[in-house]
Amino acid sequence: MTIAQLIPVAINLSMGLMVLALGLHASWSDAISLLRQPALLVRSFLSMNVVMTVLAVLVAVLFNLHPAVKLALVALALSPVPPILPGKQTKAGGSTSYVVGLLVTIAALSIVVVPLGIGAISRWFDLSIGVPAARIASVVLMSVVAPLVIGLVIRQIAPAFASRLARPLSIFATVLLVVSFIPVLIKLLPVLMTMVGNGTLLALAIFTLIGVTVGHFLGGPEPDNRTVLALASGTRHPGVAMAIASATFPDEKAVIAVVLWHLIVGAVVCIPYVNWRKRAHASALSKSGR
């Protein structure tokens, strides 16, 4: 296997290990927790898949962007929670139960939502594109479902071992992801640089900012739930977005470049919000005496 072939394997492996680390902290009850809260489930779906998809379409219409870039925005809006996000959500004060429940539920729904959403957008813009549900299911299974189930099983069988393993595994997965993305960034650097100053980065910043705002207000009365939904609405799963890209524009590097820029822009834009929520969470714990 060549280095070029190893890179996507390493990226997918790192995302799976992040979810595995999350599963080592969680329970089976956490995985189905959102199904027991229908009001929160509806608001979560509305924020992530309805409002953000409409926003992506509006941005695609209003900004003079490359067609592949417009598709990438819609693909991101339809994609589930990125595996790298749950750790950030819990650090910012989000509850493990809602984080895991949202990850599982939205990932499962994406198997249906993504093909239907892309089909609707295709008809709207008169494009001949489509995404097989099997391809999305494969990405969701390998990057979310399988590693989470493995983590939950280990947690149930050997809780002490799971607690010791979770943190070093999460650190290793993060380092592996960063190292794996460096060659991709270098290879796509010329394409990435063409997007500076042409409205793409502004569109991604707007996407993230509105996603965080909408998610925060639709998260409901529980502050920690607001934090989780805000970050989930503003940032998305790169693997699903890239699967959509490869199915629709197999030779178009611009789509992958947009997904990479989204990871970078989304992380930067979310920093002030994450810091604010950390302080608010710490203050709430202090007042409650915990």
Side-chain angles (χ1 to χ4, degrees):
M1 183 176 286
T2 64
I3 296 297
Q5 293 172 320
L6 280 173
I7 289 172
V9 173
I11 292 174
N12 290 330
L13 175 62
S14 65
M15 291 193 293
L17 290 176
M18 288 177 184
V19 178
L20 173 58
L22 179 66
L24 294 172
H25 281 303
S27 67
W28 295 100
S29 178
D30 293 331
I32 60 171
S33 62
L34 196 52
L35 299 178
R36 298 194 297 266
Q37 304 174 76
L40 183 57
L41 172 58
V42 170
R43 292 199 305 273
S44 301
F45 180 79
L46 181 65
S47 178
M48 292 188 64
N49 293 123
V50 178
V51 174
M52 295 309 294
T53 302
V54 171
L55 172 63
V57 171
L58 288 175
V59 170
V61 171
L62 295 175
F63 285 74
N64 184 25
L65 303 173
H66 188 284
V69 177
K70 295 180 179 181
L71 174 69
L73 281 170
V74 175
L76 287 167
L78 292 169
S79 298
V81 179
I84 197 172
L85 186 61
K88 183 184 294 185
Q89 290 171 318
T90 52
K91 289 177 182 177
S95 69
T96 299
S97 181
Y98 182 36
V99 168
V100 175
L102 185 66
L103 176 73
V104 173
T105 305
I106 297 298
L109 288 174
S110 70
I111 298 172
V112 176
V113 169
V114 171
L116 290 179
I118 291 297
I121 297 301
S122 173
R123 289 191 293 273
W124 191 351
F125 288 104
D126 195 23
L127 301 171
S128 299
I129 58 176
V131 182
R135 178 168 296 194
I136 303 303
S138 175
V139 174
V140 169
L141 177 64
M142 296 305 295
S143 67
V144 178
V145 178
L148 182 65
V149 169
I150 292 172
L152 292 173
V153 170
I154 295 175
R155 177 73 178 181
Q156 186 173 24
I157 296 174
F161 174 71
S163 297
R164 292 195 303 271
L165 179 63
R167 179 169 172 75
L169 184 63
S170 179
I171 294 173
F172 172 76
T174 302
V175 172
L176 178 61
L177 181 65
V178 173
V179 171
S180 302
F181 262 121
I182 290 175
V184 179
L185 289 172
I186 294 173
K187 182 178 181 180
L188 292 178
L189 188 59
V191 181
L192 290 167
M193 295 311 297
T194 63
M195 296 180 177
V196 177
N198 70 350
T200 299
L201 302 191
L202 177 60
L204 290 171
I206 291 173
F207 177 90
T208 302
L209 280 171
I210 294 180
V212 169
T213 303
V214 170
H216 182 82
F217 285 102
L218 286 179
E222 176 59 46
D224 292 348
N225 287 350
R226 288 187 169 196
T227 302
V228 173
L229 188 56
L231 294 174
S233 298
T235 54
R236 298 309 176 85
H237 196 306
V240 173
M242 288 181 182
I244 296 172
S246 63
T248 52
F249 290 92
D251 300 318
E252 184 54 74
K253 294 181 179 179
V255 180
I256 298 176
V258 173
V259 175
L260 293 178
W261 268 127
H262 171 66
L263 292 173
I264 298 168
V265 172
V268 173
V269 170
C270 286
I271 288 174
Y273 179 80
V274 170
N275 290 336
W276 171 51
R277 297 311 300 159
K278 282 182 179 179
R279 290 193 299 270
H281 182 69
S283 177
L285 290 178
S286 177
K287 290 179 180 178
S288 66
R290 284 186 285 172

